[in-house]
Amino acid sequence: MTSYYNIMKEIESGSMKVIDKTRDDMVNDPPHYNTGSIECIDAIQAALTPIEFRGYCKGNNLKYTWREHYKGEDEDLKKAAWYLDRLLKSIDDDES
């Protein structure tokens, strides 16, 4: 995992990626959460402890599951599943 310091250093260097809103994959690779080669989720994980990151993923999973009927429907359920997968991956990474 990249350190928070290195992520912030790259963000501050000004290497910004142009967002292409015509992209299809708004669940697994949303362009508005990328800066240069760093994804927002990686910066968040680097800034949090493993326990805090677990809570972050669980909270987002709950949020997208809760609102799916009223807002994003299938896309929100895919986002909820993405956060659950990310949580499980981080648990596996912490144990190894």
Side-chain angles (χ1 to χ4, degrees):
M1 176 177 25
T2 306
S3 75
Y4 180 73
Y5 172 79
N6 289 338
I7 290 171
M8 294 309 296
K9 189 174 171 183
E10 185 170 332
I11 289 170
E12 290 171 358
S13 74
S15 60
M16 300 292 283
K17 185 159 102 174
V18 176
I19 295 174
D20 178 3
K21 293 187 178 185
T22 62
R23 293 177 62 139
D24 293 332
D25 195 350
M26 296 302 290
V27 174
N28 295 300
D29 191 24
H32 55 279
Y33 285 126
N34 290 300
T35 300
S37 62
I38 300 167
E39 286 202 41
C40 183
I41 190 74
D42 295 326
I44 291 168
Q45 186 172 9
L48 300 176
T49 67
I51 296 297
E52 291 169 336
F53 188 69
R54 279 181 82 146
Y56 175 80
C57 289
K58 289 164 69 174
N60 277 298
N61 174 275
L62 178 60
K63 171 183 70 175
Y64 286 116
T65 301
W66 185 279
R67 74 179 201 182
E68 65 83 21
H69 182 69
Y70 304 102
K71 189 173 180 195
E73 297 180 346
D74 289 350
E75 186 173 292
D76 273 4
L77 289 175
K78 289 175 185 174
K79 289 178 182 180
W82 187 92
Y83 276 101
L84 182 58
D85 288 342
R86 184 67 186 232
L87 170 61
L88 293 170
K89 180 186 177 302
S90 74
I91 290 170
D92 287 345
D93 290 348
D94 290 343
E95 291 176 354
S96 54

